[in-house]
Amino acid sequence: MSNPESNLQNGKQNKNAPAQHFWWRLLRAWIAAVLLSVIGYAALVWAGLAYPPIALFGVLTQALGVPAVFQFLHKLLGLGQDAKLLAFSGVAVLWLGGLSLLGAVSVPWAAAGMLALLCIVGLGSLGWWLPLLYGLVFWALLEGVNRLLTFGPGGERLQGVTTPTDTARRLTTLGLAAGGAVVAGGGLSALLKQGSADTTAAAPVPGQPLPFGVTPVEQFYYVSKNLEAFDPRLSAEKWSLTVSGLVQTPKTYRLADLKQFAPVTSERTLSCISNPVGGPLISNGIWGGFRLTDLLRDVGIQKEARFVLWKAADGYTESLPLGEALDPENLLITQLNGEALNAKHGFPLRVLIPGRYGMKQPRWITNITLSAEDQPGYWVKRDWSKAARVELMSRIDQPPEIDPVVKAGRQTFIRGVAFFSQPITKVEVSTDGEKTWREAELVRPRSIYAWTPWQLAWTPEAGQYTLAVRAYSGDTVQKKADKDALPEGATGYHRFEVKVS
Ligand SMILES: Nc1nc2c(c(=O)[nH]1)N[C@H]1C(S)=C(S)[C@@H](COP(=O)(O)O)O[C@H]1N2
Ligand SMILES: [Mo]
């Protein structure tokens, strides 16, 4: 049997020497794992370095999106919107537990190497140099913690001898491990709370049915000044956003840099100002991104600034008075319905100002300039409204205006949506050419920025009917006068004839 002292000097476990007890090795690796996670999080916050647990979260939520996995969890736990929370906790358990196990079962350099390799292979979004850096830091932490906290030459059980230093190291190990648990638990709950405080909606999980009233991306209305074939197709690598003009620190952001801003998810309805009454150019999505105010805070605003000017990759321009731009509800969008924005709807970044028509929401933005002077936007120069605030609207979707089929003597539902910049409080439906009105039942929207679905039960006799709908938002009444979309957006009731037989 070799000398235990030389084992310690080599830093290697000798097969013949009594091994360090597994649980003590696990505790030390746990301490190193928590330290690594804290250092990595600091690097994320201060240097914008990618954070492996977030990449792991992405991979896991992707797996949750596989319908079979999700349905299984749903049956098991009645999950619904808690899927995100579960995925988040799962990530913490996998990441910290995995690192602790790695550190406990192998020597530091091998554990570190395995960490790097697993990250490179399993979390492709991290590239290769960041995993190597994590490996190196984990190695150093494991070595450090082991050196400081290992007791008894060759193992604590050796000869059954316990020195005072050994006892101190055991207590320190236990204390640090418990401290690590507090840090990990506190960090996790802080992250979860932060996530929910900034969120008005949970991002849908890919593969799971969308919440009622949300338009699937493929059906989301599309309007562009360009031929679709000539819309910008921007590359994530080459794209950048430059924020300049009357700012304290002009900055250029790459796509990954945007991750520094606290994520926000919000269900919102978007409508084109040229949508006719009853028209299809309106959709409702769950948008993900971050606050414009967070970006403006990051560059700092000079006091002469009065306007925010947007410029997009297709030459589209728009503007907003600074006072209006500072509304924290204004978002810069990177996601629609839980997926990265597609090219059609503005990849990688678009604007979303609540209560305004689509023309105020440039896609594919590349420049934000703070200016003392306004520059009227692309459509404003072509005589469309400058503020483009949405008009109170309502629309009948069921029965459809085109080819309605309604059977006499059977109960059916008249259904539709209503939308405004303020909550919809009442919807009325007429089936007799606006002589009498009945109040429809509202489906309470999940967000004040989302349209309100409504329905009314209807059992008609055979005959000819003229359907119409009108909506209210508190004191605001939907305008009855028929008006063309140009320049302020269409008004008037949606009405059409239905033959019941
Ligand atoms: N860069 C750019 N942004 C744009 C436009 C455009 O032509 N170019 N059209 C605007 C108009 S008029 C509308 S209605 C909305 C439509 O957004 P969507 O196609 O994603 O629904 O995008 C707005 N943003
Ligand atoms: Mo539009």
Side-chain angles (χ1 to χ4, degrees), residues 139-164:
W139 186 3
L141 287 170
L142 280 171
E143 286 284 4
V145 173
N146 280 341
R147 204 147 293 175
L148 289 172
L149 296 177
T150 304
F151 32 80
E156 72 278 6
R157 284 208 201 128
L158 186 74
Q159 296 159 347
V161 181
T162 307
T163 66

Side-chain angles (χ1 to χ4, degrees), residues 39-163:
I39 293 171
Y41 187 70
L44 164 74
V45 173
W46 287 316
L49 284 193
Y51 195 41
I54 293 179
L56 191 59
F57 181 76
V59 169
L60 226 88
T61 42
Q62 204 60 41
L64 277 182
V66 177
V69 177
F70 195 86
Q71 275 151 19
F72 172 73
L73 286 173
H74 192 86
K75 283 218 178 78
L76 205 69
L77 303 162
L79 276 174
Q81 301 206 340
D82 292 342
K84 197 167 156 186
L85 195 130
L86 182 94
F88 218 95
S89 314
V91 164
V93 170
L94 273 180
W95 171 253
L96 288 170
L99 285 180
S100 308
L101 270 180
L102 268 182
V105 298
S106 49
V107 292
W109 67 263
M114 260 189 286
L115 165 65
L117 199 70
L118 283 172
C119 282
I120 292 173
V121 175
L123 307 174
S125 61
L126 293 178
W128 59 270
W129 68 263
L130 192 84
L132 287 184
L133 186 66
Y134 263 80
L136 276 175
V137 175
F138 191 43
W139 186 3
L141 287 170
L142 280 171
E143 286 284 4
V145 173
N146 280 341
R147 204 147 293 175
L148 289 172
L149 296 177
T150 304
F151 32 80
E156 72 278 6
R157 284 208 201 128
L158 186 74
Q159 296 159 347
V161 181
T162 307
T163 66

Side-chain angles (χ1 to χ4, degrees), residues 409-462:
R410 273 209 227 141
Q411 183 184 290
T412 175
F413 282 90
I414 305 173
R415 290 200 171 98
V417 291
F419 176 59
F420 190 46
S421 51
Q422 306 288 321
I424 297 293
T425 49
K426 188 164 73 168
V427 170
E428 291 175 330
V429 176
S430 174
T431 54
D432 57 6
E434 292 159 56
K435 283 188 213 89
T436 61
W437 294 87
R438 276 191 294 160
E439 195 169 335
E441 176 195 339
L442 305 186
V443 182
R444 200 166 60 83
R446 288 160 294 264
S447 154
I448 60 166
Y449 303 121
W451 62 22
T452 298
W454 55 263
Q455 64 174 14
L456 180 74
W458 186 39
T459 313
E461 298 304 316

Side-chain angles (χ1 to χ4, degrees), residues 225-242:
K225 76 174 179 64
N226 319 304
L227 273 179
E228 190 178 342
F230 297 127
D231 269 346
R233 279 178 212 287
L234 302 178
S235 111
E237 288 74 38
K238 289 189 198 123
W239 176 87
S240 68
L241 172 73
T242 299

Side-chain angles (χ1 to χ4, degrees), residues 317-351:
T317 55
E318 247 303 328
S319 77
L320 207 59
L322 184 61
E324 292 167 15
L326 291 178
D327 181 345
E329 297 295 293
N330 297 336
L331 302 182
L332 292 169
I333 295 298
T334 54
Q335 290 191 321
L336 177 55
N337 291 353
E339 291 162 30
L341 218 48
N342 63 18
K344 199 166 162 174
H345 294 293
F347 179 86
L349 195 65
R350 81 175 298 166
V351 175

Side-chain angles (χ1 to χ4, degrees), residues 161-242:
V161 181
T162 307
T163 66
T165 342
D166 287 353
T167 311
R169 286 183 173 187
R170 278 174 204 206
L171 288 176
T172 314
T173 305
L174 287 174
L176 284 177
V182 172
V183 169
L188 186 66
S189 73
L191 280 180
L192 287 175
K193 249 192 233 125
Q194 190 190 29
S196 55
D198 282 337
T199 298
T200 59
V205 178
Q208 194 202 359
L210 288 170
F212 177 74
V214 174
T215 315
V217 173
E218 320 77 63
Q219 288 163 31
F220 209 93
Y221 93 85
Y222 161 81
V223 166
S224 182
K225 76 174 179 64
N226 319 304
L227 273 179
E228 190 178 342
F230 297 127
D231 269 346
R233 279 178 212 287
L234 302 178
S235 111
E237 288 74 38
K238 289 189 198 123
W239 176 87
S240 68
L241 172 73
T242 299

